Amino acid sequence: MPVPEGPDGRRTPPSPPRPPRPPRAPVATGRRATGRTRQVRYSKACGAAWGRLRGGRIGDRLELRTSGGSSQSTRVTDRFDADGYVFTPMAAASGPEKLRVCLRPAGGGPAECFRTS
């Protein structure tokens, strides 16, 4: 089998096959009648959790808080965020338990929160 050329013109061997990665499933999901879906995700490998919001509205804010006191937040800033999803930066977490995510709707109103067990 011929060895392909890289961008610099040198011959480069093919990359070794990668083992399959397990899917990153949410730890918990909360959905409102408004269509907003909030998720808490956790990575054991990173020792961190993050929140994800799908179907948000411009101005919505999502906050994640861990039992250790770490927190992160993000905001829906434009129509691209609203049409897709936004996620918080990772926050240090010792496990997927006792993570709290809150949606603070644009324009005020009560926060929509839930906690993992």
Side-chain angles (χ1 to χ4, degrees), residues 5-91:
E5 288 186 12
D8 60 359
R10 295 182 186 174
R11 294 193 178 269
T12 58
S15 299
R18 293 183 181 178
R21 294 191 310 182
R24 289 190 177 155
V27 173
T29 300
R31 187 176 180 102
R32 297 290 297 183
T34 59
R36 295 175 178 108
T37 302
R38 300 153 293 146
Q39 293 181 334
V40 175
R41 293 178 169 233
Y42 174 74
S43 168
K44 183 176 181 179
C46 296
W50 63 99
R52 183 171 134 164
L53 174 64
R54 183 177 215 88
R57 296 188 179 136
I58 296 173
D60 283 352
R61 190 174 73 186
L62 186 69
E63 299 172 345
L64 171 78
R65 185 170 305 276
T66 70
S67 61
S70 295
S71 66
Q72 292 287 355
S73 66
T74 190
R75 188 177 299 271
V76 178
T77 58
D78 56 32
R79 69 179 178 90
F80 300 105
D81 288 349
D83 290 344
Y85 62 87
V86 295
F87 52 90
T88 68
M90 290 179 154

Side-chain angles (χ1 to χ4, degrees), residues 101-113:
V101 68
C102 292
L103 167 64
R104 305 223 182 259
E112 302 169 8
C113 300

